């Protein structure tokens, strides 16, 4: 359908994404999923198929519905993609900095810093969250990340010294 036809209602794509998410659920349960050709489908292939559907049909799908669908199914890659499309930067930072985030801590901090670089000039709280995330997970990072954060915040005049010290006080001992 998606390769031959382009003029169909969004609910067709929604349903197709739901079917793929259901297949992902079975793969995550270590059950085998097969195509009609008895070819095994791997998780990464199915994930890429879902993301490609989002990218291809982002003009017609209901992105808010799809975002809820991804949240219900804990499909992190999809949540990230739809949040990027909808410019939900706060949602992305929250996803990256959650205690139980499925994203590795270093990658999460790097992505958070990237969002801060691109959009933090409007939202000081992004930088506050990035610094708080660093401080609460210090053992996962080198001090280089702290230097990067502090230099960027100082360069942009984003935090007052008092607020910075209040945030830093939450962390472990920092040289």
């Amino acid at each position: 359908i998606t390769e031959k036809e382009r003029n169909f209602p969004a609910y067709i794509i929604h349903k197709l994404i739901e079917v793929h998410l259901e297949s992902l659920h079975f793969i995550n349960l270590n059950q085998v999923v097969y195509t009609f050709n008895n070819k095994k489908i791997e998780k990464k292939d199915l994930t890429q198929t879902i993301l490609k559907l989002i990218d291809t049909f982002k003009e017609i799908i209901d992105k808010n519905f799809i975002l809820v669908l991804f949240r219900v199914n804990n499909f992190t890659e999809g949540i990230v993609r739809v949040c990027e499309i909808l410019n939900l930067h706060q949602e992305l930072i929250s996803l990256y900095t959650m205690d139980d985030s499925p994203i590795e801590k270093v990658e999460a901090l790097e992505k958070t810093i990237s969002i801060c670089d691109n959009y933090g000039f409007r939202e000081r709280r992004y930088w506050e969250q990035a610094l708080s995330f660093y401080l609460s997970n210090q053992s996962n990072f080198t001090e280089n990340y702290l230097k990067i954060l502090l230099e960027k915040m100082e360069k942009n005049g984003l935090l007052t010294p008092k607020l910075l010290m209040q945030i830093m006080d939450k962390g472990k001992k920092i040289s």
Side-chain angles (χ1 to χ4, degrees), residues 96-136:
Y96 295 145
T97 59
M98 289 184 331
D99 287 337
D100 60 347
S101 176
I103 299 166
E104 179 191 341
K105 299 288 185 207
V106 171
E107 180 184 358
L109 182 61
E110 289 172 352
K111 288 182 179 213
T112 300
I113 291 171
S114 176
I115 291 170
C116 291
D117 278 339
N118 293 321
Y119 307 101
F121 58 91
R122 286 181 263 168
E123 295 290 343
R124 183 183 78 194
R125 69 173 184 227
Y126 293 177
W127 290 101
E128 292 173 25
Q129 287 176 282
L131 183 57
S132 293
F133 178 65
Y134 171 87
L135 294 171
S136 63

Side-chain angles (χ1 to χ4, degrees), residues 34-84:
Y34 292 94
T35 65
F36 292 112
N37 301 332
N38 283 340
K39 182 180 174 188
K40 185 178 177 183
I41 298 174
E42 294 185 30
K43 181 178 180 177
K44 66 180 179 169
D45 298 327
L46 204 47
T47 298
Q48 289 305 312
T49 299
I50 295 169
L51 296 177
K52 184 178 177 186
L53 282 170
I54 296 302
D55 292 338
T56 303
F57 297 101
K58 66 183 167 192
E59 302 302 322
I60 65 169
I61 59 171
D62 180 345
K63 291 170 265 320
N64 291 309
F65 171 79
I66 296 297
L67 184 57
V68 170
L69 188 62
F70 288 160
R71 282 188 182 132
V72 167
N73 287 280
N74 294 320
F75 184 55
T76 304
E77 296 91 339
I79 295 169
V80 169
R81 183 67 52 91
V82 174
C83 284
E84 288 170 348

Side-chain angles (χ1 to χ4, degrees), residues 135-150:
L135 294 171
S136 63
N137 294 282
Q138 257 177 275
S139 60
N140 296 302
F141 308 118
T142 63
E143 282 195 19
N144 189 43
Y145 285 106
L146 179 61
K147 289 176 186 174
I148 291 169
L149 285 166
L150 294 175

